[in-house]
Amino acid sequence: MNNSENTRSGTGELPAGRPLQTDFETGLDYPRLGSVTFRRGTLTDNQEALFNEHWPRLGKVLAEGSDERIDIDGWFGRAGHPTIVEIGSGTGTSTAAMAPLEADTNVVAVELYKPGLAKLLGAVVRGGIDNIRMVRGDGVEVLARMFGEESLDGVRIFFPDPWPKARHHKRRIIQSGTLNLIATRLKPGGVLHVATDHADYAEWIDELVNVEPMLEYKGWPWDEAPMLTDRQVITKFEGKGLDKDHVIREYLWEKK
């Protein structure tokens, strides 16, 4: 990583321009970012100060052209603990609420939106939560380039963007290729947990539950799951869904 990349990473800034996308060459379907414009938000002065002080310790940025694997034990300062990656952590409401319930587990929250990461970072610092770290970047690219094969005990995707228009379905994160990528990153016995309150997206996922041969679909609930699956908290998006009487669907898979 060169000096400019170090500077960007230290301040949580993404490289300019369209992000690089891995060509997986598997023949499977992957979400494509295309010309998506990511929301830009500003931080309050307090958020900015807190972010600048703590991000170098708690956060990393997906570097362009780099396949730098994360040293989990070194980053968390402890060895031998299970590790879960949450893709699309948003403002981190559920991330921060769940982490104290699974203090033995390392949680890596992946999100593109800096103000969301800033809110989570604030909750981590104020709450003295020591088992959360953050990565700014696209979830698929982070999994592909920053984590090795069979390195994770769990992957969570809670209330992903449903991309409701048919022409945007190719941007949905739940695709055959993503499920394959997740399977390669999970240890045997590792768990994938997905939740959505969008009926059309649930139908989309229903069609894919058995598409990846390395993942055994366990349905919901799965009482013997080796990680916390009862979220016990209502995320902001889930709360909105409940307010609209949406049905929340949960999905669990186990790596064979």
Side-chain angles (χ1 to χ4, degrees):
M1 188 180 293
N2 60 36
N3 288 337
S4 63
E5 286 178 329
N6 272 323
T7 300
R8 281 197 301 265
S9 184
T11 57
E13 294 305 318
L14 292 169
R18 180 178 294 185
L20 293 176
Q21 290 190 271
T22 299
D23 185 356
F24 291 97
E25 299 181 347
T26 62
L28 301 174
D29 296 323
Y30 295 83
R32 308 314 292 169
L33 296 179
S35 58
V36 176
T37 300
F38 299 115
R39 294 175 297 163
R40 294 186 180 276
T42 57
L43 308 187
T44 67
D45 289 344
N46 286 340
Q47 283 180 324
E48 192 79 49
L50 205 64
F51 197 93
N52 290 339
E53 180 180 355
H54 295 281
W55 178 262
R57 176 176 64 90
L58 297 174
K60 296 182 182 295
V61 172
L62 175 65
E64 288 293 328
S66 171
D67 289 331
E68 177 188 358
R69 296 287 195 249
I70 293 175
D71 174 8
I72 291 294
D73 291 351
W75 200 15
F76 282 85
R78 59 185 189 178
H81 290 255
T83 298
I84 292 173
V85 169
E86 181 180 350
I87 297 175
S89 55
T91 58
T93 305
S94 65
T95 317
M98 292 176 73
L101 303 176
E102 46 187 354
D104 190 54
T105 299
N106 302 324
V107 179
V108 180
V110 179
E111 176 59 49
L112 276 165
Y113 189 48
K114 186 176 180 179
L117 289 167
K119 287 183 179 180
L120 175 56
L121 183 145
V124 167
V125 172
R126 288 190 299 271
I129 303 171
D130 59 8
N131 63 322
I132 292 178
R133 300 292 185 271
M134 290 155 275
V135 176
R136 190 175 184 201
D138 172 67
V140 171
E141 294 301 313
V142 169
L143 276 180
R145 292 158 52 191
M146 299 185 81
F147 294 95
E149 293 189 1
E150 298 192 348
S151 63
L152 301 175
D153 297 87
V155 172
R156 291 171 173 156
I157 307 175
F158 294 157
F159 304 95
D161 192 326
W163 292 108
K165 295 180 180 179
R167 69 176 183 272
H168 292 154
H169 285 180
K170 63 186 178 182
R171 295 178 181 172
R172 289 175 167 175
I173 192 168
I174 307 299
Q175 307 268 358
S176 60
T178 313
L179 292 171
N180 175 259
L181 172 63
I182 291 169
T184 66
R185 268 41 186 175
L186 287 173
K187 299 174 184 176
V191 176
L192 168 62
H193 184 183
V194 175
T196 184
D197 68 340
H198 191 276
D200 182 61
Y201 206 164
E203 292 181 5
W204 172 277
I205 298 171
D206 287 342
E207 295 294 322
L208 294 170
V209 292
N210 294 311
V211 74
E212 173 49 53
M214 288 187 288
L215 294 176
E216 179 182 356
Y217 182 55
K218 308 299 284 192
W220 177 269
W222 175 26
D223 294 337
E224 294 78 28
M227 62 182 246
L228 179 65
T229 59
D230 180 0
R231 287 172 286 115
Q232 302 181 42
V233 291
I234 297 177
T235 71
K236 180 168 65 173
F237 291 107
E238 183 172 352
K240 288 179 179 178
L242 289 174
D243 289 342
K244 297 175 183 176
D245 296 322
H246 289 187
V247 175
I248 294 164
R249 294 285 306 279
E250 311 248 6
Y251 300 83
L252 292 167
W253 292 261
E254 182 180 29
K255 168 72 175 290
K256 295 179 181 178

